[in-house]
Amino acid sequence: MRQLPRFFLIMLSLLAGPGWAQTGLVDGYVVDADGRAVSGATVSVMSLDKIDNNGRPPSTSTGGDGRFVLPPLPIGKYRVYAWKEASGVPNTRVLLFERSNPHCSEITIKPNETIHVGNIALPPPYGKLTLRVVDSKTRSPISLARCTLRKAGADGIMHATDSTNGEFFFLLPDSPISLKITSSGYKDWYYVEPTSAETYLVLPPGSQKTILVPLEPYSSRH
């Protein structure tokens, strides 16, 4: 009976074969724009040659020294992302940021190897935008509103999200972004720059902007 566990272990290793070694590790450090360690940053990956399983790529957080070690990854090509929303740096895997993303690194995982990516430097904080959506007549918050953001000059690059309390908060890159707010029973609202009449918004890094969005009810036409 003592030989039974050993037999099963041998058979398991033969069946698994080289598959056990078809993964690799990734480690590195996340630093800020001044080269200081960033603790509590999130680090994740996006596969460049296959679809992420279940849309849930492996991720981890940095320690007090800024160091991270990702869970074992199958062999292949990846892009490593780092972000920390509390410090004003968003998750740039969203397509809205894809072409203006300096804080990532591309790697190739090989079997049973550890890839050292060195330092991934986060940029200065992005611009912070707050939208408050209200009824144009009552000035009460509108629930179940939707905000759609589009990158100017880049068809198809957009991001949409819903709010249940009439408030939206975004961290935006310093590139032209158009804004559209919709809600059932109200006319659509589009952002227009008050001074230039441009139909897009540009937020400088580290800036903050709050916009009150009054939606006009369809009933106001009658």
Side-chain angles (χ1 to χ4, degrees), residues 120-138:
I120 298 180
L122 299 184
Y126 283 44
K128 298 180 181 180
L129 174 66
T130 301
L131 302 174
R132 295 194 172 96
V133 185
V134 300
D135 185 290
S136 62
K137 289 187 173 182
T138 66

Side-chain angles (χ1 to χ4, degrees), residues 20 88 115 138 169 195:
W20 277 11
I115 303 296
T138 66
F169 175 78
T195 57

Side-chain angles (χ1 to χ4, degrees), residues 133 142-146 181-189 215-216 218:
V133 185
I142 295 176
S143 60
L144 303 179
R146 164 162 284 210
I181 303 290
T182 58
S183 184
S184 179
Y186 291 87
K187 298 178 183 179
D188 295 347
W189 177 93
L215 294 190
E216 183 180 351
Y218 279 120

Side-chain angles (χ1 to χ4, degrees), residues 26-29 43 68 80 105-107 114-120:
V26 179
D27 69 4
Y29 293 85
V43 182
F68 67 88
V80 184
S105 178
E106 293 189 2
I107 59 171
T114 298
I115 303 296
H116 306 286
V117 299
N119 290 343
I120 298 180

